[in-house]
Amino acid sequence: MRHEDIWRAIDTLAAERGLSTSGLARSAGLDPTSFNPSKRRGADGKLRWPSTESIAKILMATGSGLDAFAGLVLGARTLPPARVTGRRVPVIGLAQAGQDGFFDDAGYPAGGGWDHVALPRTEAALADDPHAFGLTIHGDSMEPVYREGDIIVVSPAAPVRAGDRVVVRTSAGEVMAKLLQRRSAQRVELASFNPDHKLLVFPANQIAAIHRIVWASQ
């Protein structure tokens, strides 16, 4: 196994998903510069290898198996067709989702700036929802269920009930992943799995959207 073979396999995996190596790293919850050419050698000129954790994360994010990645390392030019044609959804960071331009008036993904993540399997809730999208978790309010760097996928078409894990967007542009504790015509109560974070209560008219989380990259 050679250093250049590993990096070529990562480059190919990114290209198969229509991503740059920076986009591949972001989709896996890694630092965007993780796979940059400058990171492939140390300051002393010595070769640097990607960590097994980084490889595991990009395989999970792209829905690729270790056997397919090993094929790329050994010289295969492409992934097996079944891997390439998996369901892909747009994905951005939670902080980006609160900015203008990423959603249309109906609350569906729009505009540029989205990366994509391939799901390892097609969930029933996603099969009928072309507007499904993914978000990369930031912060610790959902630990230990969701951790920094995890990718969650939500389906605007999925029904939402109390007790569901959801992504909420407020009229002020704040976006958060929470547990829907209670919802009425007057108010919405949102809980965190991390006990260090208090219960949040919003007037119902301050909630722009609530979407159920239907898949996570853990």
Side-chain angles (χ1 to χ4, degrees):
M1 185 180 298
R2 298 182 302 171
H3 176 267
E4 57 264 34
D5 293 335
I6 293 288
W7 289 109
R8 186 193 66 249
I10 291 174
D11 291 340
T12 303
L13 185 62
E16 289 279 14
R17 303 304 181 193
L19 299 171
S20 63
T21 52
S22 294
L24 177 64
R26 282 195 298 270
S27 73
L30 300 170
D31 184 293
T33 66
S34 296
F35 304 136
N36 284 5
S38 61
K39 294 294 184 71
R40 303 183 185 190
R41 286 183 180 271
D44 57 2
K46 291 184 178 180
L47 300 179
R48 297 178 64 182
W49 299 78
S51 69
T52 53
E53 181 181 11
S54 295
I55 291 175
K57 285 188 173 183
I58 61 175
L59 293 182
M60 183 177 295
T62 58
S64 302
L66 183 58
D67 54 344
F69 184 76
L72 296 179
V73 173
L74 294 174
R77 295 187 177 184
T78 62
L79 291 170
R83 295 293 187 185
V84 178
T85 57
R87 177 72 193 275
R88 299 171 73 238
V89 298
V91 58
I92 55 174
L94 272 177
Q96 288 175 288
Q99 301 170 7
D100 292 336
F102 287 100
F103 296 92
D104 60 21
D105 292 340
Y108 300 143
W114 294 81
D115 286 322
H116 286 79
V117 62
L119 302 180
R121 62 185 183 278
T122 300
E123 300 287 344
L126 295 177
D128 298 324
D129 189 0
H131 302 300
F133 61 92
L135 298 167
T136 303
I137 292 290
H138 296 289
D140 62 359
S141 69
M142 295 299 282
E143 289 185 353
V145 178
Y146 302 128
R147 294 179 171 84
E148 181 96 13
D150 286 345
I151 295 175
I152 56 175
V153 174
V154 304
S155 169
V160 177
R161 295 176 290 271
D164 285 342
R165 299 170 186 178
V166 297
V167 166
V168 176
R169 187 159 53 90
T170 70
S171 55
E174 187 177 7
V175 178
M176 62 197 86
K178 295 292 180 182
L179 181 69
L180 180 60
Q181 185 110 332
R182 186 169 178 268
R183 184 184 191 184
S184 70
Q186 291 76 37
R187 52 192 271 163
V188 173
E189 298 177 6
L190 304 171
S192 300
F193 283 97
N194 188 332
D196 292 335
H197 292 257
K198 65 181 182 180
L199 181 74
L200 298 179
V201 179
F202 291 91
N205 61 8
Q206 291 184 12
I207 300 298
I210 301 179
H211 301 315
R212 181 156 63 88
I213 298 171
V214 294
W215 183 83
S217 66
Q218 307 144 294

